[in-house]
Amino acid sequence: MIPVVVKISKMPSLRIDQSDLKCKNGCDYFGNPQWQGYCSKCHREQMQRQRKAEKASSATLPKPETKKPDRGLKITSHSSFSKFEEKRHRQSETLKKANLLKFSVFKKSSTDDHEHSSEKRPPEFKIPPQVNEGMKRDFRMRFPQLAQSRSKEPSLAVDRDCRAFVNSFIMDVIKCTNVMTVDELSERVQRQYQRFMKHMDTSAHFSHVDADTKELLMDFVEKHAMTYLHELPSIVFSPNGTEDERLDRAMSERIQQLSWVGERHLECRLDMNHAECRQLLYKAISELLGMDSALSPGDKLARVRRCCRHVLRLCSSSAPASADDLLPALIFTVLKANPPRLVSNINFVTRFCNAQRLMTGEGGYYFTNLCCAVSFIENLTAESLNMEKKEFDCYMAMPASIGGSAWAAALSLCGAAREADEQRALAHKLRAHTRTIHERADLLAANAKSFEEQIAKKVEDVLAKTPLEIKPRRELPRIGKFKEISTAPLIDLGTSHAHGEPEPPPETKPEPQPEPTVPQEPNITIQASENEPKLNILGFEVIERQSPSKSPQNLDQTWDLKQTSSLELLTPSPLGFTPFDSRSIDELMTPDDFGADQLPPGLSNINYDIDLSDFSGDNSIAEDAPKSDPKDPFSPEALKKTFDPFAPQTSRGYEALDSFDEFSFVDQRKQETDPFEVVHRGQDPFSPVDIAKDPFFSPPKQSTSILDDNDSPTSGCLLPSPMQPQSSGKPT
Amino acid sequence: MATAPSGTHNFKVVLLGEGCVGKTSLLLRYIEDKFNDKHLTTLQATFLNKRLNINGKRVNLSIWDTAGQEKFHALGPIYYRNSNGAILVYDITDEDSFGKVKNWVKELKKMLGSDIVLTIAGNKIDLEHERTVPLEEAESYANMVGAQHFYTSAKLNQGVEELFLDLTRTMIERYEQNSQTDVNRTSQVVVVDDEAAPPQTSCCSGNKTN
């Protein structure tokens, strides 16, 4: 049936004659060293003969001896030859196992005699702490009701008991694995499970745990113990001393050879052309394949359960699926899946899964079905497929790659379809993601816009308010310094035009008198108007009263000293105003030129200085002004919209201020444009103030003079009202 | 026999019989009657986990349907190993199916001995007029092998509930008898041992059948 098994790895030893590769029995098939040189067929027969012989011999012996042969001891004399053979076989396997363990698990020095060392091993062997940690975590996750709700003490005890049991369980299995056959080990494991069950029933710690939770705890314990043991080589999973691995290979080959078996052979109603059917079959197959990667028996069972559920849906298109439908479909699934290490997996579950669950429970039922399917495949004959023996043989002789290609194609189609589905899902997700991003971006834009509008509105509001607030504040400090500062009533240049300018100095002088009465600003304005009836007073011009006196006196002295340097440098740099430097030389030159005319050239520089000192006063105001700073963010807008056009005018305004300080009014008029523009631009801090002022005072500026522009913010209409409270407050 | 913690009995029952005698219908009827409001289970009629309370004893019944096709007959032992009860179904209009039942009985007796409770069910009594299996023959045979005999109709929902209830009661009795004899044999009167011993025996017997 399975004629040729030649391993590539055997190729180097090609000196062997081909006849040596043939079956020892002399049939024409090739033999295999793993089958003691027999071909598969002869080997099976041989094995059966051996088994029969063993049975016969064991029947004559008292039971306990057959049950528990001591592998390590010398064989007693009365056993039959076949039994002796078998024992030796097992013994050698035990040796092999011990050696394997020595190297792989225990890393023990190889000098010890394995027979004796087996007793010493357990203490050396340590269960890695991860097992414990993992259990703790998993326990909390799985039994939150145990970990939380009840009083702490018993639940902790449950947790501890479980872990203690798993530890002792693992130790026990590892200890026994050297001296026991797999069946004995399995029995021992089952007894351990029962022990734990009994412990749960009797221990006080578990008194509050209901029956269902106990079963879950049982599964939990089983899972963790077995997951760990599963990873150790050849202890519980396809252990040494069994033929699991060989059977795995045989099974895999067998299934491959049966790949031609189709749904019609098994009489199951499957429609390959139906997309849903293909999908379900594909899912069932992937679950079945996943069984190998699951570690604990419980997980493997869960895989089988899921697989069978898919298969059931596959069968139950019209009526609820019955066992009559399930089994053939499951067989078909197994044939198409050809799961890796199938026999090992099944044996592992049968041996080490909690027998109780395997016997009852849904998982157990489906697993039993799987066992049936495997058994059916193993013993599949022409009769079981209702076909002629000749046809069957013909199919079996056919190379495996030919048969079942239709289904293989359909299933690969399935795989591709599923992949496509996944891709589509991914694409869909991405699209949705982009959409949300777009929406958010739009929202953000809308927000920004509304915010902008809001801000603009606020700006307008504030703009409406600011003149009222800013101007008084700007003057307040000066009013505070009134003794030093003279508030010059604004001259409505509309009337006095260019001639108004020379007049302010006289105005400033009389002001000291009104100052004592200053606190009441209306009075001031009134007084100012009284003092200078000729002029229409629009507001105050703030001029430092001392500046006329100061600037010539103090600053002249100080700055005279510096004149040289400034002259030498040809820059007003001592002030630290880089904008000057950056300005064209012409601008720098002009003040000098002018200064040369009437004032010492240094003075022109001093003018700037003085301006600064003045404006430093202004600065402080400007710093107060930042209360209008909330408007600052708007300044850019304001700048765009309002500032630029008026910039020259404001600059003029500052020139005017400067000019006052210097008392060189005539010069100022001439100088107006050039130098002071520069100054003004250098002094950005004031610009917002100016801007704030500008819109209101653009008309007077347009009218003409610098002074007006400068003072316009303090125009009469706006000024008085805020001033009053303070002024009235002062005297009282 | 098996006990779960806290005295709940776990019983496994297999449904055996030739194909098309109505095993699945019986199971489906039992499922549907009990779970009329839950239609989840009707996707499949292959397996049923059922909890009963009989005379204050909690019973967890696992009912397994088996494939009845002739070609799967050889797989029977895999299905019925470790089971506590078997329901052998035949079709009263089909004499062959009754012959199958006889085969099953023989096989079960051989493999499981007296551990298993047998119940024979003559199904499809709604087709009484087509009956080919004589009533007396069936009942006398059942008596002979120590099995209960029921007439059922999955279609008309007759005798199904009674069948399962009676089987469960018998299984409890059998279980208690066995544990009694266990106690007598070991002459250990510790209550805990009482519970521990039966699972062990079941475990060993299970391995033997392997």
Side-chain angles (χ1 to χ4, degrees), chain A residues 525-541:
Chain A
T525 56
I526 293 162
Q527 285 170 1
S529 63
E530 286 172 358
N531 290 337
E532 299 165 356
K534 312 162 196 172
L535 303 171
N536 290 333
I537 300 162
L538 293 174
F540 295 99
E541 179 182 16

Side-chain angles (χ1 to χ4, degrees), chain A residues 244-260:
Chain A
D244 285 0
E245 271 179 68
R246 187 185 63 74
L247 290 174
D248 283 342
R249 278 195 299 275
M251 183 46 117
S252 178
E253 277 167 29
R254 172 92 174 147
I255 290 176
Q256 208 160 20
Q257 277 204 312
L258 288 170
S259 60
W260 52 268

